[in-house]
Amino acid sequence: MVVSQTPTELKNAAAPSTALDSSLSAEGYAKALSGRQVTMIAMGGAIGVGLFMGAGGRLASTGPALIFSYAIAGVIAYLLMRALGELIMYRQTSGSFVSYAGEMFGKKGAYLSGWMYFINWAMTGIAELIAIGLYFQFFFPNVPVEMSAIAALLLLVGVNLLSVKAFGEFEFWASCLKVGAIVIFLAVGSFMVITNAQVGDGNASVANLFAAEGGMFPKGALVMILVLNAVIFAYNGIELVGITAGEMQDPAKEVPKAIRAVVLRIVVFYVGSVTLLAMLLPSDQYVAGTSPFVTVFGQMGLAWMGDVMNMIVITAALSSCNSGLYSIGRIFRTMANNGHAPVWLTRMSKNHVPYAAILAIGAVYLVGIMLNIWLGGSHAFDLALNSASIGVIFTWGAIFASQIALRTKKGKVSALPAPGGVWSSWVGLASLLVITILIGFDTMTSKSGEVFHLGLWTLATIPLFSLLLWLGWQKVRNNEPKSELFS
C-alpha cells in the first residue's frame, strides 16, 4: 500500500525537526553544503570525461556538426533543469526524483527511477575509474590500470564517509579546476583563432569548420542527431543539484540561483569548447581515446600543457565518480526506506552519512574493476558508457514526467515555475524518446577499420534490464515503506 500524504504533511515532512536539531534535515542528513559549494557542484557536476575525453572521438566521427549536437542536448538539459527546479522548490529532499516519482506515480515509479539511476551510475562509475587507471599510466606506465583504479576508489569512498562537508569541499576544488581549465582554454583558443595562430601544419581559423568535403557536415547532417545519446551522456550529473538540495544550508536561496545559472554556463562551456576545438584543428585530426585538448596542445608543440590536461582529465573522472558515490548513497538509502532495497542500506554514521549505502556502491565499483581484467577490450568499455546513457535518459524522463504530474495531478506550481509549464516537459520527453530510438543506429569504427554496431548492442541491454527490474519488482512489490519521509 502506498502511503498517501496531504500537501501540509509533505511540507511538514520536508522541514527539519527543530525539536531535535535544526542543523539536520528530516531524513537525518546534515545541512552543511554552503552556497559556494552548491554553485560549483551544480556547475562542475556535468563537466567530466564526456567533454575532456569523449569530444575528440566524436569530432572525428561527426565533424564540426558536433557543435549542433551539443547545442540540441543543451536545450534539453535546460528544460530538464527548469523542470527539476520546480520540483525542488515544491519539496526539498535528498531522495530527489525518486521521491518525486514515488509521490506522483506510486511505489512502482519510485522503484524504477531508483534502480535505473543505479544502473546509470554503476556503469558510469566503473568506466570512469578504469579511465583514471588508463590515464594514470600516462605518468606511470608500469602501474597496472586496476591498481590505480582501486586506489582512486578507496580515496573517494574515504572522502564520502567523512562527511557531506568533505564531499562538498572535494567537489568545490575539483570543479574549480575543471571550470578554470575550460575558461582558460576558451580565452586562449579565442585569441588563437582571432590572430590566426599556427597549430600544427595549419592555422587556427573559422575556415577549419568548413575545411572538409561537405563543410560542417562531412559525415552528413543525420550524424549529428545519431550521436545525441553520447552527447546526452556528457551532460550526465547535471541533475545532482536535486539530490544536494536536502543537505543545503539554505535551499530556498541556493536552488533558484544554481538552476538559473548552471545551464547557461555549462552550455557555454560545452558548445564553446567544441566550437573552438573545431576551429583550432580540422575535425579529422582528432582521435578517439585521446583528449582533444591534449591533441591541440600537442600540435602546438606544448607537450607540457598536454600533461596538465591529462591531470585535469583524471580530476574530472575523480569528480564525476565522487558525485556518483554521493548521489547513489542517498538514493540507495531512499530506496531502502521505500522497501525497494535491503533495509541495512538505511544505516547512518554519527556524521550523518549513509555509510552502508556508500560502501555498497563502492563494492559494486570494485567488482566492476575486477571484471574489467576478465572482460577487457575497448568495446566493453564503450558499451558500459552507452548502457549508462539508457539510465540517464530514463532518469531525465522521470524528472520531466514528475513535473507534468505535479501540475496536472496536484495542480501545484512552485516558487520556481518551469517556462512553458508542462509543454516544455512534453518536448523534453519527446526528445528523449527520439534519442532512444536513434541509439540503434550508433556505430563505432576501430583502428583496424572494423565497424562495431554499438547502438544495437546498447539497445539489447534494455530487455535485460527490463527482465531484472521485473524480477526485482515481484520480490519487493508488497514491502511497506519504512518511513513516510521517503515515500
Side-chain angles (χ1 to χ4, degrees), residues 264-436:
L264 176 62
R265 292 172 184 172
I266 286 177
V267 170
V268 168
F269 290 157
Y270 270 99
V271 178
S273 294
V274 173
T275 301
L276 276 176
L277 287 168
M279 290 181 180
L280 291 169
L281 283 172
S283 59
D284 60 3
Q285 294 193 31
Y286 295 102
V287 293
T290 301
S291 170
F293 301 94
V294 173
T295 300
V296 168
F297 289 122
Q299 292 278 4
M300 293 169 58
L302 300 175
W304 63 273
M305 279 299 297
D307 295 346
V308 172
M309 289 308 303
N310 274 316
M311 283 300 301
I312 292 173
V313 171
I314 292 174
T315 302
L318 281 168
S319 172
S320 180
C321 194
N322 188 44
S323 297
L325 279 167
Y326 168 85
S327 58
I328 285 296
R330 274 65 184 172
I331 295 299
F332 251 175
R333 184 165 180 256
T334 297
M335 292 164 62
N337 275 288
N338 283 339
H340 299 157
V343 68
W344 55 267
L345 291 173
T346 62
R347 295 173 184 170
M348 295 271 277
S349 71
K350 63 180 181 180
N351 292 328
H352 311 287
V353 170
Y355 74 91
I358 291 171
L359 289 174
I361 187 61
V364 171
Y365 285 171
L366 180 61
V367 170
I369 293 170
M370 302 312 294
L371 281 175
N372 182 64
I373 302 175
W374 177 45
L375 297 175
S378 60
H379 290 340
F381 179 86
D382 288 299
L383 183 59
L385 289 181
N386 258 37
S387 299
S389 69
I390 298 293
V392 176
I393 289 171
F394 191 96
T395 296
W396 287 22
I399 293 171
F400 283 131
S402 295
Q403 188 268 345
I404 292 171
L406 179 66
R407 294 284 193 103
T408 57
K409 291 184 177 181
K410 293 182 172 290
K412 294 287 185 179
V413 179
S414 75
L416 191 63
V422 297
W423 291 107
S424 60
S425 287
W426 279 116
V427 170
L429 283 173
S431 301
L432 294 177
L433 177 61
V434 171
I435 291 171
T436 303

Side-chain angles (χ1 to χ4, degrees), residues 4-68:
S4 177
Q5 295 172 278
T6 66
T8 301
E9 290 172 333
L10 286 170
K11 182 178 179 181
N12 293 336
S17 176
T18 53
L20 296 175
D21 190 343
S22 61
S23 67
L24 300 181
S25 69
E27 296 104 323
Y29 297 114
K31 300 191 323 186
L33 292 176
S34 65
R36 66 177 178 85
Q37 291 173 332
V38 170
T39 299
M40 293 309 295
I41 288 171
M43 196 183 307
I47 302 175
V49 293
L51 174 61
F52 284 113
M53 183 176 174
R58 291 298 174 181
L59 269 171
S61 63
T62 309
L66 186 67
I67 298 168
F68 299 109

